[in-house]
DNA sequence: AGTTTGGGTGTACGTCTGTACACCCAAACT
DNA sequence: AGTTTGGGTGTACAGACGTACACCCAAACT
């Protein structure tokens, strides 16, 4: 499969994906035309079909790629998790900032298409986020203090945390890299994680505030 | 200004706004064409210009309208707020569900265009949400237990709560009206509000978990 | 009663879109 | 060495797009 020909094809395919990512930034996937992408890549419009049957399929490829980097983020979060609360919180926010910066185009794509994309794309993104929530619920169950928690309570907390992290990622995309705004977003995220975990620790011992 | 003529013009203008709202549902504003809207309304394409200079301006009108219903939601939340935590939480979630259902098209529009819309639209929506955060911070300062809080802490908590409410609204849009899913989303939102407020109450007395 | 105004119409144009088709030629295979 | 394969090219066309222009006619004004 890989020869001079295979390499060249792969390179063009990547160029198409990158062009689509950069062109749809600032707008949406649906506003993308096959001809624009082809012009950006430097190929003739009809050559596009050698790689994708339609723009729709290009979109699905971008979703899968973007969800892949989302899964990388989750893996990285688990891999670097410390023992005490403080290091878990600080480490997680640092990893989040790093990964969002590293794959800004993918996270931006997810943010844009989550609600504005075609149905298949929306569903794929929703499943990706649900997966993150389920995995976090499992991790939370291993924390001290959640021994007696119901599945339901674990789900409630994990969706709360994931939601806050998604909001943080979206704010990071708006803030410039290395800016004061970025530091402020990170500080806010840390404080919010602390608040949520304090609430969680007091949860069953004091169920209603 | 209002005569038979003025009424007719207003009616057509409304029809255009409604058509745009319903046509952009399931996709995005940028995917909307002047001719589609005109056909849906039942007027000839060029007649569109009697009401809006361009599709872009139509979009801005829709944003303003949608942000108006967002402000209505905020006003309603304050108006019905009870005294104790339990009634504040339950009342707020009920109002949220009711209002989102009542103006589903507007909230859906905000969700879609928040990150996928043209820059001016994104900024307008961001300002609307920031406003909600600032107002909530003011309300939170009047709650028992937040007497000694810094401005910063109030901001951190209000953005956390607003973020969770935005996520709840987005989930409501996905869930069918009156469905089991809808009740589950509401239950989750109530539990999350309780968790966050428990965390907040323990905040300064126990700053790090 | 006569004139002006303005929302809606119909035609027309240039541009951009997706895509079908025939073709090219170097890499890959026999 | 001869043949096949497949990514890229160039031309071509029908349809949708935004929009300019001249026109219509009932409501509104004088």
């Amino acid at each position: 499969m890989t020869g001079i020909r295979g390499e060249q094809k792969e390179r063009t395919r990547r160029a198409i994906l990158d062009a689509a990512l950069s062109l749809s930034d600032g707008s949406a996937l649906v506003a993308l035309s096959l001809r624009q992408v082809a012009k950006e890549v430097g190929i003739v419009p009809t050559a596009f079909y050698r790689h994708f049957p339609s723009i729709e399929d290009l979109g699905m490829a971008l979703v899968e790629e973007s969800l892949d980097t989302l899964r990388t983020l989750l893996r990285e979060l688990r891999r670097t998790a410390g023992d005490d609360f403080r290091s878990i919180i600080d480490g997680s926010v640092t990893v989040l900032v790093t990964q969002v910066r590293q794959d800004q185009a993918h996270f931006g794509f997810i943010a844009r298409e989550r609600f504005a994309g075609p149905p298949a794309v929306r569903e794929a993104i929703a499943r990706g986020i649900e997966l993150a929530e389920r995995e976090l619920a499992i991790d939370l169950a291993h924390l001290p203090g959640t021994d007696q928690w119901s599945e339901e309570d674990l789900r409630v907390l994990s969706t709360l945390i994931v939601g806050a992290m998604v909001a943080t990622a979206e704010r990071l995309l708006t803030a410039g890299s290395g800016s004061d705004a970025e530091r402020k977003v990170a500080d806010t995220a840390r404080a919010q994680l602390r608040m949520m975990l304090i609430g969680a620790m007091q949860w069953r011992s004091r169920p209603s505030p």
Side-chain angles (χ1 to χ4, degrees), chain A:
Chain A
M1 175 59 196
T2 38
I4 293 175
R5 227 179 174 108
E7 283 173 30
Q8 183 56 46
K9 174 159 190 181
E10 183 51 34
R11 223 175 304 147
T12 307
R13 188 188 143 92
R14 254 266 59 83
I16 292 177
L17 290 167
D18 289 342
L21 228 30
S22 107
L23 284 174
S24 79
D25 188 66
S27 179
L29 191 63
V30 69
L32 211 61
S33 88
L34 183 154
R35 289 180 111 102
Q36 272 175 41
V37 176
K39 177 178 276 185
E40 177 85 3
V41 173
I43 56 175
V44 93
T46 47
F48 176 90
Y49 294 110
R50 304 289 184 194
H51 302 273
F52 301 96
S54 73
I55 282 277
E56 179 82 16
D57 296 79
L58 206 205
M60 284 310 293
L62 284 175
V63 186
E64 280 161 37
E65 225 185 44
S66 298
L67 289 179
D68 238 51
T69 75
L70 178 63
R71 281 186 285 269
T72 300
L73 165 62
L74 298 182
R75 209 179 315 120
E76 208 61 16
L77 281 171
R78 295 184 133 180
R79 201 177 64 73
T80 63
D83 290 332
D84 57 316
F85 281 111
R86 162 133 266 139
S87 74
I88 290 176
I89 291 174
D90 291 355
S92 295
V93 173
T94 303
V95 167
L96 184 70
V97 173
T98 307
Q99 295 287 317
V100 168
R101 281 287 164 254
Q102 199 166 55
D103 288 298
Q104 195 146 9
H106 282 161
F107 286 100
F109 178 83
I110 292 176
R112 287 194 305 275
E113 303 303 325
R114 184 145 87 106
F115 296 109
V121 171
R122 295 190 205 191
E123 282 155 26
I125 294 174
R127 277 199 300 274
I129 292 178
E130 274 166 35
L131 178 71
E133 290 169 349
R134 278 200 304 278
E135 292 197 353
L136 178 58
I138 293 171
D139 291 346
L140 288 173
H142 295 145
L143 247 47
T146 54
D147 323 53
Q148 308 279 30
W149 281 41
S150 65
E151 292 252 346
E152 181 61 13
D153 282 348
L154 287 169
R155 197 187 56 78
V156 165
L157 178 58
S158 75
T159 61
L160 179 60
I161 294 176
V162 169
M165 291 303 96
V166 168
T168 300
E170 289 165 350
R171 267 178 230 126
L172 283 172
L173 290 169
T174 306
S177 176
S179 65
D180 279 351
E182 184 182 67
R183 271 184 291 281
K184 194 169 178 182
V185 169
D187 287 341
T188 301
R190 275 186 282 270
Q192 290 176 342
L193 275 172
R194 254 179 271 137
M195 274 195 198
M196 288 185 281
L197 289 181
I198 290 176
M201 286 175 67
Q202 305 284 325
W203 182 240
R204 268 307 162 214
S205 50
R206 245 186 116 198
S208 40

